[in-house]
Short mmCIF file of all heavy atoms in Angstrom, two decimals:
data_model
loop_
_atom_site.label_atom_id
_atom_site.label_comp_id
_atom_site.label_asym_id
_atom_site.label_seq_id
_atom_site.Cartn_x
_atom_site.Cartn_y
_atom_site.Cartn_z
N ARG A 204 106.49 89.85 95.65
CA ARG A 204 105.87 91.02 94.99
C ARG A 204 106.30 92.31 95.68
O ARG A 204 106.53 93.33 95.02
CB ARG A 204 104.35 90.89 95.00
CG ARG A 204 103.82 89.89 93.99
CD ARG A 204 102.29 89.86 93.99
NE ARG A 204 101.73 91.12 93.54
CZ ARG A 204 101.53 91.44 92.27
NH1 ARG A 204 101.89 90.60 91.31
NH2 ARG A 204 100.99 92.59 91.95
N GLY A 205 106.42 92.28 97.00
CA GLY A 205 106.88 93.47 97.72
C GLY A 205 108.31 93.82 97.36
O GLY A 205 108.64 95.00 97.18
N ARG A 206 109.17 92.81 97.23
CA ARG A 206 110.57 93.07 96.86
C ARG A 206 110.67 93.56 95.42
O ARG A 206 111.49 94.44 95.10
CB ARG A 206 111.39 91.81 97.08
CG ARG A 206 111.60 91.48 98.56
CD ARG A 206 111.87 90.03 98.80
NE ARG A 206 113.08 89.59 98.14
CZ ARG A 206 113.47 88.31 98.09
NH1 ARG A 206 112.71 87.38 98.67
NH2 ARG A 206 114.58 87.97 97.48
N LEU A 207 109.85 93.02 94.55
CA LEU A 207 109.83 93.49 93.17
C LEU A 207 109.37 94.95 93.09
O LEU A 207 109.87 95.73 92.27
CB LEU A 207 108.91 92.61 92.31
CG LEU A 207 109.45 91.22 91.96
CD1 LEU A 207 108.36 90.38 91.32
CD2 LEU A 207 110.66 91.33 91.04
N LEU A 208 108.42 95.31 93.95
CA LEU A 208 107.96 96.69 93.97
C LEU A 208 109.07 97.63 94.42
O LEU A 208 109.23 98.73 93.86
CB LEU A 208 106.75 96.82 94.89
CG LEU A 208 106.15 98.22 95.04
CD1 LEU A 208 105.68 98.74 93.68
CD2 LEU A 208 104.98 98.21 96.03
N LYS A 209 109.87 97.21 95.40
CA LYS A 209 111.01 98.03 95.83
C LYS A 209 112.00 98.22 94.68
O LYS A 209 112.51 99.33 94.46
CB LYS A 209 111.71 97.38 97.02
CG LYS A 209 110.93 97.45 98.32
CD LYS A 209 111.74 96.84 99.46
CE LYS A 209 111.00 96.93 100.78
NZ LYS A 209 111.79 96.33 101.89
N LEU A 210 112.28 97.14 93.97
CA LEU A 210 113.19 97.26 92.83
C LEU A 210 112.62 98.17 91.76
O LEU A 210 113.34 98.96 91.15
CB LEU A 210 113.45 95.87 92.24
CG LEU A 210 114.42 94.97 93.01
CD1 LEU A 210 114.48 93.59 92.37
CD2 LEU A 210 115.81 95.57 93.06
N ARG A 211 111.32 98.07 91.54
CA ARG A 211 110.69 98.90 90.50
C ARG A 211 110.81 100.38 90.83
O ARG A 211 110.98 101.22 89.95
CB ARG A 211 109.23 98.49 90.35
CG ARG A 211 108.55 99.06 89.11
CD ARG A 211 107.12 98.54 88.98
NE ARG A 211 106.57 98.90 87.70
CZ ARG A 211 106.01 100.08 87.41
NH1 ARG A 211 105.94 101.00 88.37
NH2 ARG A 211 105.53 100.34 86.22
N ARG A 212 110.70 100.71 92.12
CA ARG A 212 110.80 102.11 92.53
C ARG A 212 112.18 102.68 92.27
O ARG A 212 112.35 103.90 92.19
CB ARG A 212 110.46 102.23 94.01
CG ARG A 212 108.99 102.00 94.34
CD ARG A 212 108.76 101.96 95.83
NE ARG A 212 107.35 101.78 96.16
CZ ARG A 212 106.90 101.53 97.37
NH1 ARG A 212 107.76 101.41 98.40
NH2 ARG A 212 105.60 101.38 97.59
N THR A 213 113.18 101.82 92.15
CA THR A 213 114.54 102.27 91.84
C THR A 213 114.82 102.22 90.34
O THR A 213 115.36 103.17 89.77
CB THR A 213 115.57 101.40 92.59
OG1 THR A 213 115.35 101.51 94.00
CG2 THR A 213 116.99 101.85 92.26
N ILE A 214 114.43 101.14 89.69
CA ILE A 214 114.83 100.91 88.30
C ILE A 214 114.07 101.80 87.33
O ILE A 214 114.67 102.40 86.43
CB ILE A 214 114.62 99.42 87.94
CG1 ILE A 214 115.61 98.56 88.75
CG2 ILE A 214 114.81 99.19 86.45
CD1 ILE A 214 115.37 97.07 88.60
N VAL A 215 112.76 101.93 87.49
CA VAL A 215 111.97 102.70 86.53
C VAL A 215 112.37 104.18 86.52
O VAL A 215 112.56 104.77 85.44
CB VAL A 215 110.47 102.53 86.79
CG1 VAL A 215 109.64 103.47 85.92
CG2 VAL A 215 110.05 101.08 86.52
#
Side-chain angles (χ1 to χ4, degrees):
R204 285 183 65 86
R206 289 156 61 187
L207 286 171
L208 179 60
K209 288 183 178 180
L210 284 175
R211 192 176 190 277
R212 290 173 178 170
T213 300
I214 293 173
V215 172

